[in-house]
Amino acid sequence: MALELEVRNDGDDGVVYWTGGQQYELWVSGPNGTLWVWSEQEADKGRFFELALSERRLAPGDRRRVVDTWRQRTCSGSDPLRPGRYVARAAWLALDDPDETGTRAWFSNPVTIRIGSRRP
């Protein structure tokens, strides 16, 4: 299942922000809490994110878009998910100032996903 996150500047002024190697996060929750986190999946593949910050700009009308795949499994990748209701969320990770402590994020609205059972 493709999960897409788009950040766009609908304002009249440009936006300047700082970001590190991990620019976004995606996660899916189920009845028992969070069951899949994109960055954990990437770490399991041996991917590590650069810690250095770089300045980015988003001019009026500009957008940034990422698409990644959730294979409808937990982070451990064990069993397929049971039929039911799941919620996908995303965050664009950014800092307004590189000297700030902590991370600020622009969060998406939740998206409900229903997984049905297979019929013979």
Side-chain angles (χ1 to χ4, degrees):
M1 173 178 295
L3 298 177
E4 177 181 329
L5 170 63
E6 181 177 88
V7 176
R8 65 180 179 262
N9 182 356
D10 290 334
D12 295 329
D13 299 319
V15 175
V16 175
Y17 65 96
W18 293 79
T19 188
Q22 182 182 357
Q23 295 182 36
Y24 63 94
E25 184 67 274
L26 304 167
W27 66 96
V28 176
S29 300
N32 297 323
T34 303
L35 55 99
W36 178 82
V37 179
W38 174 79
S39 61
E40 287 181 27
Q41 170 189 283
E42 295 301 298
D44 289 346
K45 294 179 190 174
R47 178 176 180 184
F48 297 96
F49 300 103
E50 183 180 324
L51 296 177
L53 293 175
S54 61
E55 183 181 89
R56 303 291 173 101
R57 296 178 185 275
L58 202 58
D62 275 359
R63 57 187 70 206
R64 303 284 183 273
R65 180 176 169 262
V66 294
V67 178
D68 223 296
T69 302
W70 174 47
R71 303 213 182 285
Q72 298 179 24
R73 297 184 181 273
T74 63
C75 280
S76 65
S78 54
D79 297 324
L81 299 178
R82 295 176 185 244
R85 180 179 171 268
Y86 297 86
V87 177
R89 296 283 314 252
W92 194 265
L93 306 177
L95 292 170
D96 289 338
D97 183 330
D99 295 325
E100 284 186 19
T101 56
T103 300
R104 176 170 296 161
W106 301 326
F107 290 93
S108 72
N109 292 324
V111 175
T112 301
I113 301 165
R114 293 197 188 278
I115 296 177
S117 60
R118 290 187 178 189
R119 295 183 182 175

